[in-house]
């Protein structure tokens, strides 16, 4: 993960710590979704994951735009993986909603 390699000024430290919080929140909420008590509960928890993934995506874009992450290949891989996760979660939420209709 890029966060462990980041050193620098206050903005960089702030963004890297926030990225750690949002990415781990998405993972932890996914664990919660796997134990959801109902389909509504599942959808709610998956939407929380999606929210955190989108926050992570914006954070990565800010860091890229500001040149805070110098490894271009790494940032592109992180952005791609984040976008793929967003697509998976959107699809999963949509599938769950369609099953309830």
């Amino acid at each position: 993960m890029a966060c462990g390699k980041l050193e620098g000024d206050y903005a960089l430290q702030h963004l890297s710590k926030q990225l750690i919080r949002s990415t781990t929140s998405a993972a932890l909420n996914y664990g919660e979704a796997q134990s959801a008590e109902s389909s509504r509960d599942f959808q709610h928890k998956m939407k929380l994951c999606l929210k955190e993934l989108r926050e992570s995506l914006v954070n990565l874009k800010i860091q890229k735009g500001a040149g805070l992450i110098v490894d271009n290949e790494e940032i592109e891989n992180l952005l791609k993986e984040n976008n793929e996760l967003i697509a998976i979660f959107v699809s999963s939420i949509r599938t769950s909603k369609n099953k309830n209709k």
Side-chain angles (χ1 to χ4, degrees):
M1 185 155 106
C3 297
K5 300 175 187 174
L6 297 177
E7 297 179 13
D9 63 15
Y10 176 78
L12 178 59
Q13 292 297 319
H14 176 74
L15 288 168
S16 65
K17 289 176 184 178
Q18 185 58 38
L19 183 59
I20 291 168
R21 285 190 291 275
S22 62
T23 55
T24 55
S25 177
L28 296 171
N29 279 304
Y30 180 67
E32 288 283 324
Q34 291 175 316
S35 299
E37 297 177 8
S38 67
S39 59
R40 282 187 68 187
D41 187 35
F42 173 79
Q43 291 168 22
H44 174 71
K45 287 175 171 59
M46 291 295 281
K47 287 177 183 178
L48 291 174
C49 296
L50 186 56
K51 177 183 168 193
E52 296 297 336
L53 287 169
R54 287 184 172 142
E55 179 181 324
S56 299
L57 182 64
V58 171
N59 187 314
L60 288 167
K61 286 180 178 180
I62 290 169
Q63 290 192 49
K64 178 184 176 186
L68 299 175
I69 299 176
V70 294
D71 186 341
N72 286 332
E73 184 177 346
E74 182 175 23
I75 189 70
E76 290 304 322
N77 287 337
L78 290 170
L79 288 166
K80 182 178 183 246
E81 183 175 350
N82 197 292
N83 276 321
E84 290 169 354
L85 287 169
I86 288 171
I88 290 167
F89 277 75
V90 166
S91 179
S92 182
I93 293 165
R94 189 175 296 135
T95 299
S96 179
K97 284 182 180 178
N98 289 337
K99 284 184 178 179
N100 290 334
K101 289 184 179 180

